[in-house]
Every structure is written in structure tokens, then in C-alpha cells.
Amino acid sequence: MAQDGQDEPVVTQESTLDEVVVTGTRRTLQTSIETKRQEATIVDALTADEIGDLPALSVGEAIETITGAASHREKGGASEIAIRGMGPFLGASTFNGREATNGSGDRSVNFNQFPSELINQIKVYKTQQANLIEGGVSGLVELGTLRPLDFNRQRIQVEGKINYNPYEDRLLDQPSPGYRGTISFVDQFDLGGLGRIGLSLGFQRNDVTNPEEVYNASSTWVACNANTTQTGNCTEVTRAQAAAGTPFYLVPNSYTFRQIEEDDTRDAWFGAVQWRPNDRFNINLDYQYSDRSYNERRNELGISEARYGLTNRVVNENNVLLAATGNSSIETNSTFKNRSETYEGAGLNVEFFVNEALTLKGDVSWSHTLRNETDRNVRLRSDPLDIYGVRTPMNNQRVPYTMDLRNGPVPTFTIDPRFDITNHDLFSDDARIRRDQSQRDHEIFATRFDATYEVSEGFFTAFDAGVRYSTMTFKDFDNRVEFTQDDRAVDREANLLCRTPFPQTDFLDSSSSNSITRWATFDAVCLFEAYSGVPDTGLPIDIRAVENRDVSEDVWAGYGMASFAGMAGNLPFRGNMGLRVVDTQVTSKGLRADLDVVENGDGTISLVPTGAFNEQVFEHGTTRWLPSLNLTFELKDDLLLRGGLFRAMSRPAPSALGAGRIITVDSGADYANVAEALRNISANGSPRLEPLMSWNADLSLEYYANRDSMFAFAVYAKQFTGGFQPVAYDETFVIDGQSVTVPVVQTENSDDESTLLGFEVTGAYRFSNLPAPFDGLGTKISYSYADLDFENEDVRLGDVIDANTGVVTQGMIPPAGLSGLSKHVLSAQLYYQIGNLDLQAIYKYRSDYYQDFVGGNSQLRYVHGVGTVDLRASYALSRNSRVQFEAVNITDEPRIEDMPVWGATRGYYAYGSKYYISMRHRF
């Protein structure tokens, strides 16, 4: 029988006459089991011998099938990855052993950038060893592409995939089917005296649509005084008042219904050259390029004054506003959003085999992501007069409505029928025209040098040592060009010119409690040009702003590691021990400016920077020592006991280290006086944040019954040092020439300690003992449980510490746990492979979790647990041709969010299911 990793056919025990080559799902599970068995640490893997054999549509969805891994879903697909139920902040990801950038402002890899068809191996390290790049308390996800000489055969492969989303049937303007095309080439060449060289190239074009339906509340929630009778905006309750017994209820600034149509295009290139000039050198050069662009057309109906005139309130024991009658301006927002994101990564790796014992390695890498996002938005509001100047039935800007959250996750809204939300004529006032542009620029340059000395005899089998240097920069800006228009004749002309029918049918029918099914919509680009006179106003000459971030990080790391093997009596063991030292220096720059008070024309004011800026620089450094020990006992040939002890660190997201300030000037949150405005100056980062540290212990028992079957049980504990808490610093702002001191809240590390306890179970089994044809059945099931007493306080409503006095002011709402932590994570696969047919069903479940916003210093957001089902079926038409069908989220599960406490719906996101059919041919 052929050994794993070899190309020779496997001869079944049932027949020595027929040779059966194991491929597809079964072969992927076999190689994954063998990878886990051979590793020195506790690892779970997904490995494919062939290009394009990973069993998933995307890298993120492939990782979800690995024990303990789960994702945060965006637009129905897997995005950020959580390991063992812990959020992406606590994990780390590398691509071919190197850090990779993204456009989100955090350290997680955007797995949607990488075509799964061009990835061959995914490893999830649950325990650390000294030669791994630091940064993963929960674990490290390593993505790998093939090396062409190691592949050792020629392959030209073409795959075409067509996708269908049932939500598209609801659109009046139905798009063409989406598609994905992939072509890859691998070959090796003999250069005579110059050795051998291998070349691999891959290209993918992905062009899809992602319709989406959303109910959304604003990301700012306030505590309103329940004792007062409201005629205007509610009176906010302070922490001190709440502690003294003042009753309150929680309410957002606004409610929004959003209908989205999106076109998403991505071009991705992968290339690698591997050259072995002789037996002593191995040189690898790889390059990756991804260019993704999407256009999003948003139609929104907004109840923009959710805090205004609230009566008949129903509030539960958690201070959630379950039902109320209110008065609010009703607005329609039309937005055309464009995002372009370009990723480039490159690396050069050189191995020099000095002799049979000593190997030297050098690696230089570069990764860069540039994301630009531009929104053109026009808001039109209700008014006592319609666009013709005729009084409306309401004869008022504000419209009565009722909100009821007791019937389902989407509140039931009943808007006074005198205001017909489908009548374009009634959206006639307060035209606000905005052009927002943001840019995220993330770059990493790194170099490392490693040496391995192998010992032929004795207890120690190898010694490794190395040094690594990396420099990271993260810069962003957000620019807004905004103006208003109050000429009714201009409003009428634009309104009549740019009307559109509501773009779809059955809006949000997935939620039985939803009552808003359509409203008056407009073409965003048409409105923008009608009011501004140009398709796009572009950026101003000066894009400096107090919100901008400018963060740089320099890291030096060095390590030493010894591998060993021996006998404890008759018990073989092996492992490694080592120490990694990491020095991190962060420099964060922020702009400050004096503020002018600007009259809005309606009796309220806004705060606007004067344009004269000064720079403030914050520097902060840490040095951390990370010891590690990994030990494996071979209790039997097929039974392993593994243990790991290590210290790990997770750095804050680059955007969370920003030194900027956010000054709210949105007209939906205008202010009656300067004092009220000052409460809305907030930090958009905390340069003083330090890495989160943990001591970790893991124990795993693994039984390898055969190449198709294995069972593993692991327990683990993590002792965290430091939680996160809001800290108020007094800062001075000059407003209309006068100095005013304002407490600005930032998130910082606390001295708290917390303990996580968890376990995970994995079982893979093929029912080969069943009679044919049932012997083609197989399964893999994994379950992870984790519990942690970690605390994260709400930045507006939670406990806050005065930085000068150290006094803690009690918060109004309970803290959240660790960002991204789910107690329960389950993945279950059932496959049937017989002859040319390969069937697979995958169920993935992740329980409730708290999800921080990128950049930090935000209020608490919770995501409901959900289980999704994916299906795959493929049939080999010949040795080199295969047809495949795939279905994602076939039960049409939405993503539901609460904020800032459980039970207060913040978001309901419905994406629908997606179906794909593809054809692959190898030459």
C-alpha cells in the first residue's frame, strides 16, 4: 500500500486485482489526519494533494471545518476566524509563514482575498513553539501554497463556476449569473548544470452579486431617563444618576431599513518559482496579487430621531425598550458605495544546507493592502409641505409611529398612515448631500534569519535559533464633503428626475415580525449630480483631520528552540522546548485642532475644526518573554498523548492604537448647547493599549485507528493577565477661542486576571465495514467548548476609571466577555464517496458571542448563535474532468446582532442561500 504523500495507487485489501487511487473528500481527510499525527504540536489541518481540492468555496469556509474554528459571517460568507471559540483578535494568521495585511484595520487575514482553489494546506496550531511568529493566544492559522518542485509533476487546470442566489429573483433588475474562473499551471524544468527549477502560476476572476436585506439601529445607544415625560429628545442618565436609582431605558439614535444590491469583482494572481541549483541550495520566490472592487447601491428608510417624544414605553428588566410610541422625521437615504481593495504580497526564501547537520534559512517578505471606499449619499426628509409646496396630511416634519420588539428580532414599526412612505412627493425637505471617502493603508515589511542544527545521536535531535525584524505601518483617513439645500424648486426637480420603483419584492420576509416592505426610493448617483452639478466632487486639497490615524510598529524577535526524543522506560516520547523574546515599539500620531461653533440654521449647533492642526505623538513599548514546551508520548503505535505549556501574546489591532479624535457633526445628532456637544468628543484609538498575555496549558489524547479514522480529545486552560476597561482622560479643547476641559474616554488594559477552561473533541470515521454500497460513507465531527470570566466594559454605559484619581464610576449595564468568544463551536461532516461520485454535507454551529467593532472604543455588540448547512456533490466524468455542485447556507439563516445588551436588536442581516455549479478539467 502506498504511503501518505506519495503518488502510487493504493491497493485495497478487498481486491489486489484493481488499483484504486483515493481522491476527493476522502483523500483530503486522510492527508489532514496524517499531518496532525506527524506534527510536534497540537495541530489540526486541512491538506490537499491536488490544486483546488480543499472542500469549500472559500478559505474561510474551509477553515470552519477544522476542529474548534468558526467564522464571523459577512454577506453570507465566512470572514474573520475564531479559534476555539475565541475571537480573531486573539488569533494570528500567516500566509506561507509570513504576516499578511488587510484593509479592515485589524490583524486578521481577509480570507476572502485568497482563492481556495489555489491554497493547498491550512494548519491551525493550537499550541505554540518558539519558531512560530508570535501573536496568537488562541492559535495560529497558517495558509500554504504549493512549491512547484515539491509538487513534482506537471499540471494545467481550468475550472469554471457559475453561481445563483435565489434573492436575485426578488430584484426588479435581475443581474446575470455570477461566475468564477480559475486557471493554474505547474511544471518543472531541468536546467542541466544550473539544477532544476519549478514554476507555478494561478489566476482567478470572481464576479458575483450579493443582494442583502437589513434592519439596523445606530451604533450609538444612550440611557434615557424613564421618569421624565418626553416632548423632545430624551434626557440622558449619567452613571452616577443610575447608581443612585434613576430608572432608565436603552435606545439608539436612529432605526434604518436597508435594501442592498451589490456587484463584487475580484482578480487574483498567484505565482511561485522554486529553484534548486544544487543539493545545497533551495530558493523560493512567491508573489500574490488580489484586486477586489464592489459597487453597492443602498436604499434606506430611516426613523432618524429614535429618542424623540417617546411615550407608552414598555421596558423589561434589562432596561431594553420593548415598545414605544414616538415622533420622528422620516427620511429616505440613497447611497452609491464603491470599495476597491488591492492586496500584494511577496517573499523570498533561501535555504542553504551547509552540511548534513546545519541548515541556514533567510526570508524577506512584504505585504501591502490599500482599501479605498467612496460613498455618495443624498438624504431627503419629511416636511409639512410636499415637493409642490402643498401641505401634507401630517402638516408636520415629524411623523408619529409605534415600535414593538416583542414579536421577533426585527421590531414591528407602524407609521402613521397619513404619511405614505411609498409616496415620493412627501420626501421634500432637508436635502443633505454627502460625499464620504475613506482610505486604509496597511503595510508590513519583515525579514528573518533561522538556523537549524540536527544532532545524529543523543537526547537532543535538533537545535533551532533565529531572529526576526518587522516594521508595520497603518494609516487611514476619513473625509467628508457635505452641504444642504433648502430650495423647494431644486428639491422638486431632483425628486422628479431621480425616482425609482422599489428595487425588489418581499423585503425582509424572512422575519415574520417585519412590517416595512417598501418605501420611496431614488437613484443615488442621479440625485448627487442633480444637487451638486457633478458626478463626484472628489477630495479636497487638504485631507487632514483629527479623526485620522497614523500608527507604526517595529518588532524585534529572537528565539532558541531545542527538539528532543527519548524513552521513558518503554515509552517513546518527543517534543521541543524553547524561548521567544519579543520587543514591540509603537508610535502613534494624532492631529488636534481648535473648534468653531457653527449654527445649523434650525436652532442647534455643530462643532467643526478650524483647519489649523497640531500633531501629537505617542510612543509606547513592551518586551515580552514567551517560553514554550511541547511533548508527545507514543503510548502505542496508534495512540498519542500530547501536552503543551506556553506563554502567548495577542497585540491590539493597528487601528485600535490610533491617536485621533472623533467629533460628531452629523445633523441627526446636533446639539442644543456646547456642553452637550462636548460629550460627543471621543477617542478613535488608544495608543497605550498593550498586548493581551496568557499562560496556556494543553493536553490531547489522539487515537489513529487507520488512515481514514481518528479520535482526539483535548483539554486546555488559559490564564489571562489584563482585561479591558474605559479610562477617562481630561483633554483641553479650544472652542470659539475659549479653553474647555473635556473627559475623553479610551480603552486601556486592566490588572484583572481571568481563566479560560475548555475542551474539544474530534472524531473521523469511514464506515468501510458496512456492506456495499454503504461502505462509501464517512464522517468527521468536532466540538469545542470554552468558558471564560473575562470582562469588557461598554465605553459609554459601563464602568469608567478617572485617569487622574483612579476612582471607578459604576456602569449602568453589565460587561461583555472576551470579544469573539463562543462557548460552543460544532462542525459535522457527512460524506459519501464511491466510484466517481463524491457527496458531502457540512453543518457548522457557533453559539452567541460578543463582537467588538474594528478600532475599539465602541459600545458592546452581541451576535446571536446560528447553525448553517452547506452541501457539495461532485462527479468525475473522467480521470481529468469533474463536475461539481455546491450550496451554501441552504436554510437561509440570517445574522442577528444585539446592542448594547442582550435582547435589544441592533441588526438583522439576511443574505439568502447561494448555489454553484462548476466544471474542472486537468491537462
Side-chain angles (χ1 to χ4, degrees), residues 438-477:
S438 63
Q439 183 180 95
R440 308 286 182 264
D441 191 335
H442 190 197
E443 186 172 33
I444 299 174
F445 172 81
T447 181
R448 63 181 295 173
F449 176 79
D450 301 84
T452 300
Y453 184 78
E454 296 183 0
V455 181
S456 58
E457 296 181 358
F459 175 73
F460 291 103
T461 59
F463 295 96
D464 292 82
V467 63
R468 180 179 182 271
Y469 169 75
S470 70
T471 179
M472 182 274 296
T473 58
F474 177 82
K475 298 180 181 180
D476 70 2
F477 73 79

Side-chain angles (χ1 to χ4, degrees), residues 20-142:
V20 178
V21 178
V22 178
T23 61
T25 302
R26 182 184 177 190
R27 180 58 182 161
T28 299
L29 288 174
Q30 284 183 350
T31 54
S32 300
I33 289 171
E34 186 61 22
T35 299
K36 177 179 178 67
R37 183 174 188 171
Q38 297 301 326
E39 284 287 336
T41 61
I42 298 176
V43 170
D44 283 287
L46 193 61
T47 304
D49 288 340
E50 290 286 356
I51 303 169
D53 273 358
L54 287 185
L57 281 166
S58 70
V59 173
E61 288 163 359
I63 295 174
E64 283 185 300
T65 66
I66 296 176
T67 302
S71 76
H72 180 71
R73 294 189 303 150
E74 292 286 350
K75 298 186 182 297
S79 57
E80 299 174 337
I81 295 297
I83 303 172
R84 285 178 165 174
M86 289 172 271
F89 159 61
L90 288 179
S93 300
T94 57
F95 188 85
N96 286 336
R98 306 166 184 131
E99 288 182 293
T101 54
N102 72 36
S104 300
D106 56 20
R107 297 181 189 270
S108 61
V109 169
N110 182 359
F111 294 106
N112 289 324
Q113 291 180 137
F114 302 115
S116 60
E117 291 88 343
L118 301 176
I119 302 294
N120 271 64
Q121 186 175 76
I122 303 171
K123 291 182 180 179
V124 178
Y125 290 90
K126 306 294 182 63
T127 60
Q128 303 273 319
Q129 59 186 33
N131 62 348
L132 296 176
I133 296 177
E134 71 285 343
V137 165
S138 62
L140 172 70
V141 177
E142 164 63 15

Side-chain angles (χ1 to χ4, degrees), residues 354-490:
V354 180
N355 51 46
E356 292 184 356
L358 181 62
T359 302
L360 305 178
K361 299 179 183 179
D363 189 273
V364 179
S365 63
W366 168 73
S367 178
H368 180 237
T369 298
L370 182 66
R371 174 188 288 184
N372 281 290
E373 189 167 287
T374 303
D375 295 358
R376 283 170 284 172
N377 166 271
V378 178
R379 178 200 69 189
L380 300 174
R381 265 185 171 173
S382 53
D383 188 71
L385 306 178
D386 66 15
I387 62 170
Y388 300 104
V390 178
R391 292 207 172 271
T392 67
M394 285 299 309
N395 194 26
N396 200 314
Q397 173 188 338
R398 294 187 173 92
V399 178
Y401 71 91
T402 61
M403 184 278 294
D404 195 331
L405 188 56
R406 292 171 292 186
N407 301 317
V410 176
T412 301
F413 281 87
T414 304
I415 295 175
D416 192 311
R418 289 175 295 172
F419 185 87
D420 181 1
I421 61 175
T422 68
N423 187 347
H424 295 78
D425 292 352
L426 301 183
F427 294 95
S428 58
D429 193 31
D430 287 346
R432 183 195 64 202
I433 299 89
R434 279 181 176 173
R435 196 263 188 194
D436 289 319
Q437 181 167 341
S438 63
Q439 183 180 95
R440 308 286 182 264
D441 191 335
H442 190 197
E443 186 172 33
I444 299 174
F445 172 81
T447 181
R448 63 181 295 173
F449 176 79
D450 301 84
T452 300
Y453 184 78
E454 296 183 0
V455 181
S456 58
E457 296 181 358
F459 175 73
F460 291 103
T461 59
F463 295 96
D464 292 82
V467 63
R468 180 179 182 271
Y469 169 75
S470 70
T471 179
M472 182 274 296
T473 58
F474 177 82
K475 298 180 181 180
D476 70 2
F477 73 79
D478 291 271
N479 178 265
R480 170 169 290 176
V481 176
E482 178 180 317
F483 62 94
T484 59
Q485 199 289 133
D486 56 6
D487 186 329
R488 196 170 301 274
V490 175

Side-chain angles (χ1 to χ4, degrees), residues 41 44 59 73 106 166 185 200 260 273 284 290 293 379 472 491 511 605 625 667 679 702 726 790 845 851 883 888 913:
T41 61
D44 283 287
V59 173
R73 294 189 303 150
D106 56 20
F185 166 80
S200 65
I260 300 176
V273 178
N284 292 273
S290 173
S293 175
R379 178 200 69 189
M472 182 274 296
D491 288 338
S511 172
I605 62 172
W625 299 75
S667 59
R679 288 205 303 269
E702 302 165 7
F790 194 92
Y845 173 77
Q851 180 79 1
V883 63
V888 177
S913 52

Side-chain angles (χ1 to χ4, degrees), residues 81 98 119 144 220 236 268 270 333 339 349 483 488 496 514 518 525 556 563-564 608 685 745 872 874:
I81 295 297
R98 306 166 184 131
I119 302 294
T220 299
E236 289 191 50
F270 282 64
N333 273 276
R339 175 186 288 179
N349 182 273
F483 62 94
R488 196 170 301 274
L496 293 171
N514 175 53
R518 59 191 304 112
V525 176
W556 280 98
S563 300
F564 53 83
V608 179
V745 178
R872 292 167 59 91
S874 67

Side-chain angles (χ1 to χ4, degrees), residues 45 153 171 285 327 412 462 475 544 698:
R153 54 195 181 275
L171 302 179
L285 175 67
N327 291 280
T412 301
K475 298 180 181 180
R544 292 178 300 166
D698 287 68

